């Protein structure tokens, strides 16, 4: 482990010619710009200690240098941490579009913390600029004492140079590394995760069957839903949100652009299958989706409930049976039918009552929806006896 870290640092500091085709060209170019400053600083510290021939004082100076670089790099990391989320003004539109396409890291707690700390650091620095200069002077005196006792004015100056110089170098090392490497790594990681989710969802959605029988999650859909829920870590909710919204938009486009018929129904069934496979990872979206005025988002809520049923939405599902177009009504009834197969007696009574009320409000016949409703009522009668 230590050998790996040492070799990585050596590679970064003493890297030779840079290949312009290298994905990290900008990072290496920026670090090469800072490299002379770091070498000059370390060489100066060595030359100062050589006449004294005191290895202890040289070690103390190296520790101070390391501390300044670490503090500077940590500050640079906070200032350079990739931002994501919705654009706050017109200047952020391009960034917002790239984030929506999965090219930037979704919002995380670490991002919020870095944002808060950055604002705190800037605010305190402006308010306490005099105290900061006094603190730097005090630390430079401590560095001077580590080189000689009593400390001389020359050593005070050296201590001040170590603080300002290596803090600045460390800051830019941390900033460039975060902006030019970590942001790219985060984007690549998220794109790979999104591609994997797409692969899992699309691999089976095309085989979704069309039938008047109630639609229940298939074994492979359940397996994929579990896999996606395991793949997507906490803090990545925006990735699932974007995918659900993409599928909802695709449903809306399919419904309005394709003529009514088996081809359109098959395509919408495939979209519903894709939504079900996000059903375990997208449960957090139910409050928003169930309140949406967009039919595609309400379909997403229904498909999520088919995969991860929540009894709090029984009335909402029953309302979909008489309030929605036939395709959504059919899937809402299917969600309730699936719950009837795996619930207790009291909940079956509640579903029976709500579905009976919904049936009484229907204004036109539709074979698929009506068939599932009859199956629910028959199942309820059988199980309630």
């Amino acid at each position: 482990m230590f050998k790996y870290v040492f070799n990585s640092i050596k590679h970064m500091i003493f890297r030779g010619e840079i290949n312009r085709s290298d994905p990290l060209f900008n990072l290496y170019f920026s670090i090469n710009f800072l490299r002379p400053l770091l070498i000059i600083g370390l060489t100066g510290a060595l030359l100062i200690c050589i006449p004294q021939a005191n290895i202890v004082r040289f070690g103390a100076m190296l520790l101070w240098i390391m501390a300044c670089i670490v503090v500077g790099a940590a500050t640079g990391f906070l200032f350079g941490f990739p931002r994501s989320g919705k654009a706050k003004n017109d200047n952020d539109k391009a960034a917002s579009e790239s984030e929506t396409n999965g090219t930037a890291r979704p919002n995380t707690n670490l991002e919020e913390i870095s944002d808060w700390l950055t604002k705190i650091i800037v605010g305190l620095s402006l308010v306490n600029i005099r105290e900061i200069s006094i603190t730097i002077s005090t630390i430079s005196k401590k560095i001077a004492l580590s080189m000689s006792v009593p400390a001389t004015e020359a050593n005070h100056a050296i201590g001040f140079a170590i603080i300002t110089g290596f803090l600045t170098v460390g800051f830019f090392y941390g900033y460039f590394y975060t902006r030019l490497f970590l942001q790219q790594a985060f984007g690549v990681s998220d794109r790979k995760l999104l591609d994997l989710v797409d692969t899992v969802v699309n691999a089976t959605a095309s085989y979704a069957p069309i039938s008047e029988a109630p639609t229940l999650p298939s074994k492979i859909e359940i397996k994929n839903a579990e896999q996606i829920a395991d793949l997507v870590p906490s803090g990545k909710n925006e990735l699932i949100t974007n995918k659900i919204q993409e599928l909802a938009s695709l449903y809306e486009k399919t419904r309005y652009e394709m003529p009514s018929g088996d081809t359109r129904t098959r395509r919408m069934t495939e979209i519903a299958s894709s939504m079900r496979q996000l059903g375990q990872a997208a449960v957090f979206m139910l409050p928003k989706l169930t309140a949406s005025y967009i039919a595609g988002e309400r379909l997403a809520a229904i498909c999520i409930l088919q995969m991860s049923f929540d009894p709090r939405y029984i009335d909402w599902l029953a309302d979909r049976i008489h309030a929605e177009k036939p395709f959504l009504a059919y899937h809402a009834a299917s969600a309730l039918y699936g719950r009837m197969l795996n619930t207790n007696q009291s909940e079956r009574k509640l579903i029976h009552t709500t579905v009976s009320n919904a049936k009484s409000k229907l204004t036109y016949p539709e074979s698929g929806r009506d068939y599932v409703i009859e199956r629910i009522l028959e199942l309820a009668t059988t199980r309630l006896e």
Side-chain angles (χ1 to χ4, degrees), residues 85-104:
K86 295 182 179 179
K88 295 180 180 179
N89 51 53
D90 293 338
N91 295 329
D92 294 334
K93 284 184 178 179
S96 179
E97 290 174 0
S98 66
E99 287 154 7
T100 302
N101 293 330
T103 58

Side-chain angles (χ1 to χ4, degrees), residues 35 39 55 64 92 97 126 134 177 214 228 236 247 249 297 321 354 385:
R35 183 173 60 183
I39 293 176
I55 193 172
W64 280 109
D92 294 334
E97 290 174 0
L126 294 175
I134 294 173
Y177 183 78
I228 292 172
K236 295 271 190 175
L247 290 171
S249 298
E297 294 187 354
I321 292 176
T354 55
E385 290 177 351

Side-chain angles (χ1 to χ4, degrees), residues 266-327:
R266 179 175 294 279
R267 183 63 184 130
M268 293 192 300
T269 301
E270 292 171 357
I271 295 171
S273 175
S274 297
M275 289 176 173
R276 274 195 297 277
Q277 293 175 75
L278 298 171
Q280 294 190 19
V283 172
F284 69 93
M285 295 185 66
L286 280 174
K288 177 183 177 181
L289 295 175
T290 53
S292 175
Y293 65 90
I294 300 173
E297 294 187 354
R298 296 196 299 276
L299 173 62
I302 293 169
C303 292
I304 292 170
L305 289 168
Q306 287 177 344
M307 183 63 68
S308 304
F309 195 87
D310 187 336
R312 292 176 295 180
Y313 294 96
I314 290 177
D315 289 336
W316 181 83
L317 285 170
D319 289 339
R320 299 308 100 208
I321 292 176
H322 66 82
E324 299 285 0
K325 297 292 184 181
F327 187 81

Side-chain angles (χ1 to χ4, degrees), residues 13-25:
I13 296 177
F14 301 105
R15 183 179 174 87
E17 184 179 353
I18 306 173
N19 185 357
R20 287 183 176 271
S21 62
D22 194 318
L24 297 178
F25 169 79

